[in-house]
Amino acid sequence: MTEMNRRVCVRAATADDLPAIYEINRMGWDGVCIAEAVEQRHGVVGGTGWRERKAGEVDEACKQHLDRVIVAEAEGVLVGYATSFFNESDRVGEVANNAVHPNWRNRGVATALIGEVIHGLVREGATMLRVTTLERDLPAQRVYEKLGFREIARSVMYTMSADEASAALDRHGDDCR
């Protein structure tokens, strides 16, 4: 357990924390989630809005790997969480999903959480750490860079609907077969 500013402590997550993590995920990804960008372009996917899909995805990952989840708690309320993965074969640790309640941003909560993830991964034997975020997630980038991560590459994601795919294939005929 790590204390920050005597008001926030970082600790291992428990099953009782999962509902609060889910709620933070429903609020914590506006403007920085691929699922949101996909929904803006294509509309609701699979009958479920992007917030619920993202929250459900993270919720399921947390349930399956609760031992890889830490939380930040302030005044008895969960205000953020972070997850990680460690690949023993290549000794690579990864900062995975993490979010802070909007009311607790810009108070060092994310830095404390990611710092604790880094300490944990190094204790496990990681020889390299990595994290991935969207280009437009500037707050996350600031935290990662502040803690020593350096950018090495950017990737581009493309999408199209099935109708767009069919039309493209029709236009290109045999070129695509």
Side-chain angles (χ1 to χ4, degrees):
M1 180 185 327
T2 301
E3 279 199 42
M4 180 189 89
N5 297 341
R6 294 186 178 188
R7 294 184 49 193
V8 176
C9 79
V10 176
R11 61 171 174 77
T14 68
D16 291 340
D17 296 320
L18 293 173
I21 291 170
Y22 183 89
E23 285 307 311
I24 287 171
N25 277 307
R26 291 190 76 252
M27 298 179 279
W29 296 92
D30 286 359
V32 296
C33 182
I34 288 175
E36 179 185 17
V38 168
E39 187 169 298
Q40 288 169 349
R41 179 157 193 261
H42 298 283
V44 173
V45 177
T48 304
W50 73 268
R51 280 183 183 84
E52 284 70 27
R53 280 198 338 276
K54 178 66 178 178
E57 169 192 309
V58 175
D59 189 52
E60 191 57 36
C62 288
K63 285 178 186 173
Q64 290 178 13
H65 304 283
L66 190 58
D67 61 320
R68 309 271 349 155
V69 184
I70 60 173
V71 296
E73 190 174 52
E75 301 162 10
V77 176
L78 194 131
V79 297
Y81 77 94
T83 65
S84 66
F85 294 102
F86 178 60
N87 184 325
E88 289 187 33
S89 64
D90 63 9
R91 316 300 293 164
V92 174
E94 182 170 356
V95 177
N97 285 301
N98 58 88
V100 173
H101 189 286
N103 294 342
W104 282 85
R105 292 188 181 148
N106 300 311
R107 298 186 191 192
V109 175
T111 301
L113 282 164
I114 303 308
E116 188 61 31
V117 167
I118 291 168
H119 286 301
L121 290 168
V122 169
R123 280 191 304 269
E124 284 184 82
T127 58
M128 186 188 79
L129 305 175
R130 70 176 172 221
V131 64
T132 303
T133 193
L134 290 182
E135 181 177 25
R136 61 186 173 185
D137 193 349
L138 298 178
Q141 290 175 39
R142 283 191 291 273
V143 169
Y144 302 143
E145 289 173 5
K146 179 173 151 182
L147 290 169
F149 286 95
R150 296 293 171 251
E151 180 181 326
I152 61 165
R154 291 183 184 236
S155 64
V156 178
M157 176 183 235
Y158 295 92
T159 65
M160 69 175 156
S161 69
D163 290 342
E164 290 168 323
S166 294
L169 292 173
D170 288 345
R171 281 192 307 276
H172 296 287
D174 290 334
D175 294 348
C176 295
R177 291 188 180 92

